[in-house]
Amino acid sequence: HLRASEERPGTLWIVDREKKKVIYEIMIYMTRYRDWKEIFVVFSKDSKKLYAVESGTGFLDVVRTSDWKFVKKVNLGIQPQNPVLSSDGKFLYVPNLYSRDITVVDTREDIVVDSIKIDGLPSAVDLDPDGKTLYVADIERHCVLFIDLSTRAVIKQVPAGSVPSNILLVDGRFLYVLNTYSNNLSIIDVVKKENIKSMGAGILP
C-alpha cells in the first residue's frame, strides 16, 4: 500500500494481514510535487526483493525483503507503467509511456541492460511463458503489439478497444485487455493472433 500525503516522502507500507497493522514503513522517494501519479509493485521470483515503479518520477525502487530496507534506485523512462517479470525471474520489463520504449532490467544486478523502442505509447506489457514474445498494449493506436524478443520485430498488431491500459495473459493462450475509454474488456487469442471477444467492463476500467 502506498501512502502519499501533502509534501511528505512517498511511503511504502508493509501490512501484516493477520494483525491488520502496518509493520514497516519504507521511504521510497522525495518530491515537492503533489501530483503523485501511481506506484506499481512486484516481487522478485525468489521474493527476496520488492520492486516499486514510480510513474511520476521515473524511478525503480529496489527494496530488500529480509529487513524491508530500501537499497537502490534505478532510472527508467518517462512515466513508467506496470512492469512484468519474466517467467525465469531474470528480467523485469517496464513500459515507459512517453519515452515510447520498454526498459529491460537485469534482476540479478538490478541494472538496466536494454531498451526496446516502440512506435506508439506502451501502457502495459506481458510475456508468454517461454519468454519469446512480448505483448505490448499501445494506447496511441488502440491495439496490442506482438513483439518477437529475438529480433525485436513486431510480428502482429491486433486491434483492441479505445485506450488499452492493462493486459493479462491467462493460461498462456488468452490475453485479457482492459480498454479504458471504450469501457470494455477485449479477449485476444494469442495463438490465432486475433481479437475473439469483447465484453462490457464498467466505466473507465
Side-chain angles (χ1 to χ4, degrees):
H1 176 72
L2 178 79
R3 178 181 67 184
S5 61
E6 299 178 353
E7 295 186 9
R8 290 193 51 179
T11 307
L12 192 66
W13 282 1
I14 306 301
V15 180
D16 186 312
R17 288 185 300 179
E18 292 182 358
K19 295 179 181 178
K20 295 182 175 63
K21 61 182 288 187
V22 176
I23 54 176
Y24 292 100
E25 292 188 23
I26 307 164
M27 299 299 184
I28 57 173
Y29 67 94
M30 295 286 287
T31 179
R32 291 178 179 268
Y33 301 103
R34 298 191 184 198
D35 180 13
W36 298 86
K37 299 192 182 295
E38 294 179 279
I39 305 293
F40 304 95
V41 294
V42 62
F43 282 97
S44 63
K45 189 76 171 179
D46 57 11
S47 295
K48 292 182 179 180
K49 288 181 281 190
L50 178 66
Y51 294 104
V53 172
E54 306 174 16
S55 66
T57 61
F59 287 115
L60 173 69
D61 301 303
V62 184
V63 175
R64 186 173 59 224
T65 60
S66 59
D67 54 6
W68 299 109
K69 297 295 184 184
F70 168 81
V71 295
K72 192 173 185 180
K73 228 179 230 306
V74 180
N75 280 305
L76 298 172
I78 302 171
Q79 201 163 325
Q81 302 294 294
N82 203 7
V84 66
L85 195 66
S86 61
S87 58
D88 59 12
K90 292 181 179 179
F91 299 101
L92 189 71
Y93 292 81
V94 188
N96 301 296
L97 191 64
Y98 295 120
S99 298
R100 295 176 176 267
D101 62 6
I102 313 294
T103 297
V104 184
V105 177
D106 182 327
T107 59
R108 288 163 293 189
E109 301 294 330
D110 294 326
I111 57 173
V112 174
V113 293
D114 206 351
S115 177
I116 303 170
K117 290 295 181 182
I118 301 296
D119 183 18
L121 296 174
S123 59
V125 291
D126 210 339
L127 280 165
D128 65 359
D130 62 12
K132 294 181 179 179
T133 305
L134 181 69
Y135 305 106
V136 181
D138 177 6
I139 66 172
E140 185 172 59
R141 290 178 291 178
H142 313 291
C143 66
V144 174
L145 307 174
F146 288 45
I147 297 177
D148 184 331
L149 285 175
S150 63
T151 64
R152 296 190 178 186
V154 176
I155 55 178
K156 188 69 176 180
Q157 178 178 314
V158 180
S162 179
V163 186
S165 58
N166 210 347
I167 58 177
L168 176 67
L169 185 65
V170 178
D171 296 332
R173 176 67 187 267
F174 299 105
L175 196 65
Y176 287 72
V177 186
L178 272 181
N179 304 300
T180 300
Y181 285 2
S182 54
N183 300 325
N184 66 353
L185 176 74
S186 297
I187 301 176
I188 294 174
D189 185 321
V190 299
V191 175
K192 295 180 179 180
K193 296 183 176 62
E194 63 182 42
N195 189 333
I196 60 172
K197 187 174 183 179
S198 292
M199 60 183 71
I203 300 172
L204 299 177

